[in-house]
Amino acid sequence: MGKKEKKNKPQRNEKNKHKFPEPLLKKLEEAGLETKNLIFCCTGDMDNDACYRSAWLSFDEKGLYVAYGTEKLVKAKHKKHVEPSYTVEEITAIPIDDVDSLETERYVSTGRLIAVKDGEQQSVVRFSVGKLGQFDNLTKAFNSFKEKGEAEIPSSAEPEEKKCKKCGK
């Protein structure tokens, strides 16, 4: 008798592992942002005025995008678990040619994403210091895309595989 082979769960599409969840992508599409060619995405928790609100940042070969809105957990009808619900209130697009590079600046409990063009800095969005790693990954991916034409996704941006400590599943 042959050994039973483990059925592997379908892997996340390599192209989509640095993207937003499908329900959010759908809301962004409805708001007018083309999402199928996004190269890298990250989430923030403040706007440029340091007010707490959901922020979703992404870029493609055309531009850098910042979307603001709300994210709530809603109990799904006839289900025991909760699902995220998104609303997109505004989207800001910065043409890729208007940004030479991105930088992050760290403060005591917050940080700031800065777009640099011809040596001049423009604040794009602020974030809690806990999001610094995500924003550093965004800047590395964006800057490598601008320099080489291909985004180098840092290994720290790879999603962790979550498994139960007891059963290993």
Side-chain angles (χ1 to χ4, degrees), residues 36-106:
K36 70 178 181 177
N37 295 320
L38 294 179
I39 297 169
F40 192 88
C41 304
C42 79
T43 59
D45 56 0
M46 289 185 186
D47 60 17
N48 211 17
D49 297 325
C51 295
Y52 285 102
R53 65 194 287 202
S54 294
W56 303 285
L57 291 91
S58 56
F59 74 91
D60 62 14
E61 56 276 335
K62 296 177 187 171
L64 174 68
Y65 309 101
V66 182
Y68 296 108
T70 58
E71 177 180 1
K72 296 178 185 175
L73 292 176
V74 179
K75 187 172 181 180
K77 290 183 180 181
H78 310 294
K79 294 183 182 178
K80 292 182 180 180
H81 64 278
V82 293
E83 295 178 353
S85 172
Y86 303 96
T87 57
V88 177
E89 296 160 2
E90 89 182 77
I91 297 176
T92 303
I94 303 170
I96 199 100
D97 295 331
D98 289 356
V99 181
D100 291 335
S101 65
L102 292 178
E103 298 174 357
T104 56
E105 197 171 75
R106 183 180 177 168

Side-chain angles (χ1 to χ4, degrees), residues 7-169:
K7 288 186 181 179
N8 290 334
K9 286 185 179 181
Q11 293 293 321
R12 255 181 120 173
N13 184 345
E14 280 296 306
K15 241 180 149 181
N16 293 328
K17 66 181 171 184
H18 303 289
K19 302 277 177 86
F20 297 127
E22 280 301 320
L24 177 56
L25 289 173
K26 184 178 176 186
K27 290 291 184 179
L28 291 169
E29 286 274 347
E30 289 172 5
L33 179 63
E34 189 176 316
T35 62
K36 70 178 181 177
N37 295 320
L38 294 179
I39 297 169
F40 192 88
C41 304
C42 79
T43 59
D45 56 0
M46 289 185 186
D47 60 17
N48 211 17
D49 297 325
C51 295
Y52 285 102
R53 65 194 287 202
S54 294
W56 303 285
L57 291 91
S58 56
F59 74 91
D60 62 14
E61 56 276 335
K62 296 177 187 171
L64 174 68
Y65 309 101
V66 182
Y68 296 108
T70 58
E71 177 180 1
K72 296 178 185 175
L73 292 176
V74 179
K75 187 172 181 180
K77 290 183 180 181
H78 310 294
K79 294 183 182 178
K80 292 182 180 180
H81 64 278
V82 293
E83 295 178 353
S85 172
Y86 303 96
T87 57
V88 177
E89 296 160 2
E90 89 182 77
I91 297 176
T92 303
I94 303 170
I96 199 100
D97 295 331
D98 289 356
V99 181
D100 291 335
S101 65
L102 292 178
E103 298 174 357
T104 56
E105 197 171 75
R106 183 180 177 168
Y107 304 117
V108 174
S109 62
T110 62
R112 182 170 69 134
L113 180 69
I114 301 167
V116 179
K117 176 69 174 173
D118 298 328
E120 289 193 33
Q121 297 182 339
Q122 176 188 354
S123 181
V124 177
V125 69
R126 295 179 188 268
F127 52 88
S128 295
V129 76
K131 301 275 186 181
L132 182 62
Q134 287 184 41
F135 280 85
D136 279 343
N137 290 334
L138 175 71
T139 59
K140 289 173 186 171
F142 183 87
N143 292 341
S144 66
F145 180 77
K146 285 291 287 190
E147 290 171 12
K148 302 173 186 171
E150 185 176 324
E152 293 177 11
I153 309 299
S155 60
S156 60
E158 299 296 326
E160 291 182 27
E161 191 174 325
K162 296 179 182 173
K163 291 185 178 183
C164 174
K165 291 179 183 177
K166 282 187 177 181
C167 67
K169 291 184 181 182

